[in-house]
Amino acid sequence: MRLLGAGLGVCLAALVTTLTAQEAPASAPAMRWFKGNTHTHTLNSDGDSTPDDVVRWYREHGYQFLVLTDHNFVTGVDGLNALHAADDKFLVVKGEEVTSRAGEKPIHVNGLDVARRVEPATGATVGEVLQRAVDGIRSASGVPHINHPNFGWAITSEELQQVRNNRLFEVFNGHPQVNNEGGGGVPGLEEVWDRILTSGTLLYGIAVDDAHHFKRPGDPLASGPGRGWVTVRAPRLEAKALLAALEQGDFYASTGVVLDDVATTATALAVKVKVEGTSKYRIRFIGRGGKVLREATEPTATYTFTGDEGYVRAKVLESNGRVAWVQPVKVAQKTARASVGLWLAVAGLGAFVLIRRQGRTLLEPTKDATSASV
Ligand SMILES: [Zn+2]
Ligand SMILES: [Zn+2]
């Protein structure tokens, strides 16, 4: 029995080591948060201001990066960066809103950091146009995000779910005519998001301005700046690092809530809100089917996975209507974990039998058993 216990002990130690390694990679670089907007127009399409004025607005309002995404046009950023960029303080990233139609439906997909202009996509169906736009952006080395699905009531949740090689969509767009909330039987974008996540497709939700108007401050009918953004965790302020973090879901989207930290481990999701003024907060943890798993009333909260949520994401609601969306994480099923434990136990038992048969010392066979389980 002592030998069996030792064998199991080694296996359990291996399991703990594996989990610990997942939680805290030893070589992780120092990470920082960078606030940015990935959807902006200038006079080069239907915006009302020069690229210089647009960049200046974001630079002066606490952003660290901005992607210029004119309709079917790549606005050059070298001159803008020469004027406005500073190491780890501010960066302009080039981009394009690839603007296509499927019949009468507007199909807009942003290409972030595209190496060249991407032609509008054509196709017989919404799904076809969407996929070709995404593929065109990927082939130009850009990162796609699907814009305002409810603008023109163009893209259904089923059509969105079927797109391949796309990880990002706008769960919030600051333009006043994009129908974020849904209506008339069409679901709002959070419901769309939960439907897609529930189907097993991992999709991250971003918030953007889609700013066109910098000369109409205070006009609710204008698409002004400062309404929606992402805050990305990356080792440095460079386009590739920012976009990699976006595609890994290492960011939160916001319409005004600032987070001090988001921590995901193999067992839990923790959110820490930066409390501002007299605001109060609710932190809602959401899982399969859009089910609210827990609602915390403190500005710091942790949700421990039970194993049957499918996924867990968090939404922070501020007392004046501002919101932050923390990205979903897939939750490993309990049964899968249990079977790993069982498998390791069987490996331990195998080691015990081996020891008994071959009459070796304790160390050798357990070593074999451990290496076989890796
Ligand atoms: Zn658009
Ligand atoms: Zn736009």
Side-chain angles (χ1 to χ4, degrees):
M1 265 328 276
R2 220 174 55 196
L3 286 175
L4 176 60
L8 282 173
V10 170
C11 290
L12 285 173
L15 178 63
V16 169
T17 307
T18 307
L19 291 176
T20 311
Q22 280 173 359
E23 286 169 17
S27 59
M31 303 295 257
R32 291 182 49 197
W33 292 101
F34 299 104
K35 176 180 176 178
N37 173 40
T38 62
H39 191 160
T40 329
H41 297 273
T42 77
L43 279 174
N44 290 332
S45 59
D46 53 353
D48 70 359
S49 297
T50 63
D52 179 61
D53 282 342
V54 169
V55 170
R56 198 175 295 271
W57 190 94
Y58 286 91
R59 178 72 163 110
E60 291 175 351
H61 286 80
Y63 289 70
Q64 280 84 48
F65 70 96
L66 176 69
V67 190
L68 294 177
T69 54
D70 280 302
H71 295 286
N72 298 329
F73 186 87
V74 180
T75 292
V77 299
D78 291 348
L80 295 165
N81 273 325
L83 270 177
H84 299 287
D87 285 353
D88 275 353
K89 291 181 185 296
F90 192 78
L91 177 71
V92 190
V93 177
K94 61 188 181 305
E96 173 188 353
E97 184 170 15
V98 178
T99 307
S100 316
R101 299 193 84 85
E104 288 304 303
K105 293 181 172 170
I107 309 296
H108 297 184
V109 183
N110 267 14
L112 311 181
D113 199 29
V114 281
R116 55 183 155 75
R117 179 179 178 270
V118 176
E119 291 291 326
T122 56
T125 63
V126 168
E128 214 169 84
V129 175
L130 265 176
Q131 191 61 59
R132 286 180 182 170
V134 165
D135 293 348
I137 289 163
R138 290 284 186 201
S139 68
S141 306
V143 167
H145 72 64
I146 293 174
N147 300 347
H148 46 58
N150 279 350
F151 174 55
W153 307 107
I155 304 170
T156 65
S157 61
E158 291 78 15
E159 287 158 342
L160 190 55
Q161 185 193 320
Q162 283 164 14
V163 181
R164 299 177 305 280
N165 297 322
N166 178 72
R167 198 54 100 197
L168 303 163
F169 89 115
E170 292 177 352
V171 70
F172 174 89
N173 177 305
H175 192 291
Q177 291 164 2
V178 293
N179 309 308
N180 292 321
E181 299 297 320
V186 179
L189 296 176
E190 275 208 74
E191 190 180 333
V192 166
W193 195 11
D194 283 314
R195 283 187 188 185
I196 293 171
L197 292 170
T198 301
S199 79
T201 300
L202 188 58
L203 194 64
Y204 299 127
I206 59 174
V208 302
D209 279 340
D210 199 356
H212 290 69
H213 304 128
F214 295 80
K215 299 187 188 307
R216 293 161 58 184
D219 180 351
L221 298 179
S223 51
R227 296 176 184 176
W229 60 85
V230 287
T231 304
V232 179
R233 180 159 43 194
R236 61 199 167 277
L237 187 60
E238 288 176 11
K240 292 279 180 279
L242 294 169
L243 299 186
L246 275 174
E247 292 217 279
Q248 286 159 13
D250 204 357
F251 71 96
Y252 65 91
S254 180
T255 62
V257 173
V258 178
L259 303 183
D260 274 336
D261 200 16
V262 176
T264 308
T265 67
T267 55
L269 173 61
V271 177
K272 187 177 183 192
V273 177
K274 178 179 166 59
V275 176
E276 295 186 291
T278 57
S279 293
K280 291 192 182 294
Y281 302 86
R282 284 176 285 164
I283 303 176
R284 208 173 264 173
F285 294 94
I286 297 163
R288 185 190 288 120
K291 183 183 172 193
V292 177
L293 304 162
R294 185 190 159 203
E295 183 167 292
T297 54
E298 294 300 315
T300 299
T302 299
Y303 178 83
T304 303
F305 308 142
T306 62
D308 56 5
E309 296 93 340
Y311 65 91
V312 176
R313 65 181 183 89
K315 180 181 184 183
V316 182
L317 299 98
E318 185 263 358
S319 46
N320 293 293
R322 301 176 186 105
V323 171
W325 293 272
V326 173
Q327 300 310 308
V329 289
K330 282 195 172 183
V331 176
Q333 280 193 343
K334 239 181 188 175
T335 49
R337 284 180 176 218
S339 63
V340 167
L342 185 65
W343 192 78
L344 286 167
V346 168
L349 186 61
F352 169 68
V353 171
L354 201 65
I355 297 161
R356 292 292 299 255
R357 275 194 185 166
Q358 299 186 354
R360 289 187 189 170
T361 63
L362 174 64
L363 193 59
E364 288 169 322
T366 46
K367 235 181 174 178
D368 291 344
T370 307
S371 60
S373 71
V374 173

